[in-house]
Amino acid sequence: MSEASSGRFITLEGGEGAGKSTQIARLKAWLEARGRRVLATREPGGSPGAEMIRKLLVEGPIERWDGNTEALLHFAARRDHLRSTIWPALKRGEWVLSDRFADSTLAYQGYGHGLDPAIFSQLSRIAMQDFRPHLTLILDLPIDLGLSRAAKRRSLETRYESLPRDFHARVRTGFLEIAAREPERCVVIDATSDVDAVAAAIAGAVGERLGS
Ligand SMILES: Nc1ncnc2c1ncn2[C@@H]1O[C@H](COP(=O)(O)OP(=O)(O)O)[C@@H](O)[C@H]1O
Ligand SMILES: [Mg+2]
């Protein structure tokens, strides 16, 4: 399998408007300044096939898919992303940073839409065997702050944003429970402060957990 490599795989997770896309660019620059070769990617998407699936997931009306269908689409996209993009880059020794990964499926489809955790585990096994990120940074902030930040972006990709408040509250709880269950892999980052302060907290966590 695919994991044997000298690279490192870091995922950024969190709700809408938490600052994942902003911070991934900052972390990439920080690592490159330390001589790392870095590939920044995102989910859903990150490979030509997975980007096609992304459109089905992030655009259009909420009721177009139920939780199980969404989970299948996310894991289909994820497997293509792993095979086409992530695993080859890790083999080349690169540090791969992904804007969302499997924890988002558990938080959104599991905690948000009620997908059975056992089904999540089965799909994880099919799509990625026992491959896991070396480090996951969970950007946490109150949902109203995140949604108001997200609303200021101009984007067609509003399908998940438009879900009700209580859905986003369950997603936030989900991410925090994942972090509590897997403290060796996950670090919760306070995402309420300004961009520079969040970037410093992320750099600190990466340096401490993985070296830089
Ligand atoms: N720490 C921050 N403080 C204030 N605004 C922020 C912060 N981080 C990001 N933003 C802004 O909030 C919006 C959402 O950020 P983004 O990085 O797109 O979040 P995400 O990718 O997690 O949805 C963007 O307009 C971004 O410029
Ligand atoms: Mg984003």
Side-chain angles (χ1 to χ4, degrees), residues 67-145:
N68 286 28
T69 313
E70 274 180 11
L72 288 163
L73 287 167
H74 277 291
F75 272 110
R78 182 160 303 130
R79 181 159 178 80
D80 190 65
H81 186 205
L82 286 164
R83 285 167 45 82
S84 303
T85 303
I86 296 174
W87 285 338
L90 291 174
K91 279 220 176 80
R92 295 192 299 267
E94 297 174 17
W95 286 45
V96 178
L97 314 180
S98 188
D99 183 339
R100 296 195 182 279
F101 193 65
D103 296 317
S104 281
T105 309
L106 185 54
Y108 281 71
Q109 281 68 46
Y111 286 85
H113 282 313
L115 175 79
D116 181 348
I119 293 179
F120 172 83
S121 299
Q122 286 172 317
L123 295 177
S124 296
R125 209 167 312 120
I126 293 167
M128 54 192 203
Q129 295 88 45
D130 53 5
F131 177 78
R132 294 290 179 275
H134 295 100
L135 176 65
T136 294
L137 302 158
I138 293 181
L139 274 55
D140 180 63
L141 80 179
I143 57 174
D144 291 323
L145 178 55

Side-chain angles (χ1 to χ4, degrees), residues 17 19-22 54 99-100 153:
K20 300 176 295 298
S21 304
T22 305
R54 177 186 179 93
D99 183 339
R100 296 195 182 279
R153 289 186 299 228

